[in-house]
Amino acid sequence: MQVTDSERGLVRLFALDLPSEEITAFREPVYDTDGDITDWPLQRALGFTYLDEDFIEIFPISDLEDLGLTGYMVQGLGIAEADVKEDAARLSSQKGWILVVLSSAFEGAAQTLSPQSPLRWIGTYKEEGAPVSFEALPDASAKGGAPTQGSVPPTPQGNPHLTLLLALFTLPLAALLLGLFLWWIL
């Protein structure tokens, strides 16, 4: 399996053929005193050179209860229902533990994957993107278009900074004139 450096939105699904008591040791990396990973059985089994553990999931299918694996893929992972429907029989027959690897787990590192036992590849699925629509914008200011040649450009609005500056010089002058006027009257 090839992973490109520009891969986005793919979900790889693997069955994990291990007894429940061996899952923790398989999924957890072993770190040295410097915090570097020295051994990670999951990474070795996948044949990855780089893997971000924040974008992988391992869980028993029984945790999905009534939702089932197909429901989880559509509702939880955003896979198109039509894509899952094609594999529905095979997916619903899965038992035990499952491994989900999202494209983000590779962080743009191109790699060749070579999964080995206890992993069994089930399928690779594409996340369904949001539909694109080109509707008119609701605000009146979005209507119209760019000025054409010969059209009159809109009059520019006053600069609020210049207005403030003018007020700062004019107000003391007005206060001085008012003071002189009151002094002359008294």
Side-chain angles (χ1 to χ4, degrees), residues 78 80 127-135:
E127 294 174 356
E128 187 173 39
V132 177
S133 64
F134 298 98
E135 297 175 10

Side-chain angles (χ1 to χ4, degrees), residues 35-172:
D36 297 325
I37 296 176
T38 58
D39 186 32
W40 191 3
L42 169 61
Q43 186 178 18
R44 271 188 291 123
L46 283 169
F48 290 19
T49 53
Y50 178 80
L51 182 65
D52 185 341
E53 61 188 303
D54 291 336
F55 298 99
I56 61 170
E57 296 179 71
I58 296 178
F59 56 88
I61 294 175
S62 61
D63 282 358
L64 299 175
E65 297 175 354
D66 295 336
L67 184 61
L69 186 55
T70 55
Y72 173 71
M73 291 177 67
V74 172
Q75 295 177 20
L77 297 174
I79 308 296
E81 194 167 350
D83 294 343
V84 174
K85 193 178 274 188
E86 293 175 12
D87 294 340
R90 186 164 51 92
L91 292 170
S92 62
S93 69
Q94 297 297 317
K95 305 285 183 233
W97 290 77
I98 202 87
L99 167 66
V100 177
V101 181
L102 306 177
S103 288
S104 300
F106 310 115
E107 288 191 355
Q111 314 181 41
T112 300
L113 310 178
S114 53
Q116 306 168 19
S117 180
L119 297 177
R120 187 172 25 91
W121 179 70
I122 297 172
T124 302
Y125 301 89
K126 177 118 177 83
E127 294 174 356
E128 187 173 39
V132 177
S133 64
F134 298 98
E135 297 175 10
L137 297 172
D139 192 321
S141 66
K143 294 187 170 89
T148 58
Q149 189 174 16
S151 66
V152 178
T155 58
Q157 299 293 327
N159 186 336
H161 300 296
L162 290 177
T163 305
L164 178 65
L165 201 59
L166 182 63
L168 287 174
F169 288 119
T170 308
L171 286 176

